[in-house]
Amino acid sequence: MRLTRRNFAIGSALALGLTGLGSKGVQAADVTAAEARAIAKEAYIYGFPMVDGYRILHAYFVDRKNPEFKGPWNQLNNIPRVYTPDDKAVQTPNSDTPYSMIGLDLRAEPVVLTVPTMEKERYFSIQLVDLYTHNFDYIRSRTTGNDGGSFLIAGPGWKGEAPKGVTKVIRSETEFVLGIYRTQLFRPDDLDNVKKIQARYKAEPLSAFQGQPAPAAALAVEFIEPLTPSEQKTSPEVFNILNFVLQFCPADPSETELMARFAKIGVGAGKTFDVNTLSPDTNTAIEQGMADAWVDLADLKKRIDAREVTSGDLLGTRIHLKNNYLYRMAGAVLGIYGNSKEEAMYPVYAVDSEGQKLDGSSRYTVHFAPDQLPAANAFWSLTMYELPSSLLVANPIDRYLLNKSMLPQFVKDADGGLTFYLQNESPGDAKETNWLPSPKGPFMVVMRLYWPKPEALDGSWKQPPLMKTQ
C-alpha cells in the first residue's frame, strides 16, 4: 500500500501497529469559521517547523532519488567538503565546517554515537534535533570535550540505564532524530585531517555496541511525500503532513489543551485533514488562518531586524523556548537547524545602517576595529545568502564567506582593523581579498560565532553596522 496525503492516517496506523489513533476529519458544524481561522493560525505556527523539517528528513534519509539523499536511517554519512550553492535542501547552510549527518530511528532500540579523541584546538559538535526542531542536546567540544566517548541516544519509549562503556545517556522526546556533525576545518589543506576524524565517527545500535542479539525490528514506515517549500506556505495539506509527523511525537503534558484545540479542525496524531469535507466558509477560514500566521511572522521579523529579538531567542530546547511557537517558526524559516546560542550565535545583517534592505544593486562595507573582531572561542564567519531562497550565492571566485581562518590573507586598514566589501562586482584588485560577492538582487549576510565568548552572550560585544557606500 502506498500512502498518499489523503489516506496516510489509516495506512500509517496499520504499518506502525499504532492503536487508538482517530481518523475523523473536521466537520463543518464543529467550529465556526472564526474559530477555524484562529485554530488554523495557531496550528500552522506550531506545525510549520515540523513540516519543513520533515521535508528535509525525507530528502536526506527516505527519497533515494533526491540529489540531497545522504543514506538510510541509522547510517552515518560523512560529507568531506563544505557546502556550496549546489546544496539546496536546507536554508542558510554554513560553509565553514564539513558536515556529517545521521537520521536516527529510535523506535526499536537506542543508537550509540562514538566520538574519537581529537586535538584540543579543533572544534566539533553533534547537534541533536528532534521532530519539533528542538535542539534537545549536544555532544561537543564546549561541554563533553575532545577526549572522545560513546553517547547513547534513546527514544521516548526506552526506560533503560546507561550500559557499561557509555559516557552519557541522552533522551529524545520523539522517535526520529536528526544528528548534525560539524568538524572544524582550519584551512583548505586541512581537509584530509577532517576526513580522518570523520572516518572515526561511529554509529551503531545499542545491541551491536553491547555485542548482543538485536531486538525485533520496528515495523516499516511508509513515508508520505512532503510538500515543496512553496506549497508549505499556502496549502492546507500542510496539516496532513503535520498529522503524520505527530504520530512519532508522544504528546508533551504542556500541550494537552493545545492538542485538544487543534483536534477541532482535524489536526492531531493519526487524524485526517480533508478540505473536501469542509464548507466553503470553513475552507476559506483555514486559508486565512495560515495567512494570518505569516503576518505575525512578518511582525516578528521587524523585531529581529531591529535586533530586539536574536537567533538565540529562536533556537534551543523546549525549556529554553518556553513553548513560544512563533519563535520556533521564525527559527525554522530563517535558519532551520541553527544552533542554540551557547553553541553558536548568528548576528544577521538584513538591513543596512539606515534600515534599508540589502540589494546587490548597491555596495556595502562592514568595518571591524582591531579590538572588535567577532567574540568567538572557536571561529567566526560572515556568509552571503541570496533572498528569498536563503541559499549560498554562486559567484566567479567561488567565495561564499569570509572567516577567521582567512585572517592571514586579509588586507588590514591603517588602524589595524578590517574592512570587508559586500557587493556584486569586484572592488578592485587591491581590495578583492576582503570581498564577499553578493547576488545582483536581494540578499542577507549571516555572521556566525561558534562557541561565543561571554561578551557576545551578555551583549557587551556588538556587531558593527553595515554601511551603504556611494
Side-chain angles (χ1 to χ4, degrees), residues 8-20:
F8 82 85
I10 297 174
S12 57
L14 292 172
L16 296 168
L18 300 175
T19 59

Side-chain angles (χ1 to χ4, degrees), residues 198-345:
Q198 288 181 321
R200 292 165 61 206
Y201 289 134
K202 190 174 182 180
E204 56 191 331
L206 176 59
S207 57
F209 178 81
Q210 295 181 305
Q212 297 178 355
L219 295 178
V221 179
E222 293 190 58
F223 293 94
I224 62 174
E225 288 295 317
L227 297 173
T228 66
S230 59
E231 289 172 334
Q232 289 174 173
K233 292 183 177 180
T234 58
S235 173
E237 288 289 329
V238 73
F239 295 118
N240 263 333
I241 302 293
L242 176 59
N243 288 353
F244 177 80
V245 175
L246 283 170
Q247 294 184 82
F248 307 105
C249 307
D252 186 82
S254 68
E255 296 180 344
T256 301
E257 293 183 5
L258 191 73
M259 289 302 154
R261 194 156 59 250
F262 290 174
K264 294 180 180 180
I265 63 166
V267 172
K271 294 185 180 297
T272 299
F273 184 92
D274 189 349
V275 294
N276 294 322
T277 68
L278 304 179
S279 70
D281 286 347
T282 304
N283 194 13
T284 298
I286 296 291
E287 294 177 349
Q288 289 173 333
M290 295 172 63
D292 292 342
W294 287 105
V295 171
D296 279 16
L297 186 69
D299 290 340
L300 175 58
K301 182 65 165 53
K302 293 176 183 177
R303 296 179 59 206
I304 295 170
D305 290 346
R307 301 179 189 172
E308 297 172 9
V309 177
T310 70
S311 63
D313 299 315
L314 310 178
L315 305 162
T317 63
R318 177 187 291 277
I319 292 173
H320 172 72
L321 289 172
K322 299 177 183 178
N323 285 3
N324 187 324
Y325 304 118
L326 184 62
Y327 276 18
R328 192 171 77 186
M329 179 182 177
V333 171
L334 299 177
I336 194 167
Y337 304 145
N339 280 288
S340 303
K341 69 177 181 179
E342 296 82 5
E343 199 63 29
M345 293 180 65

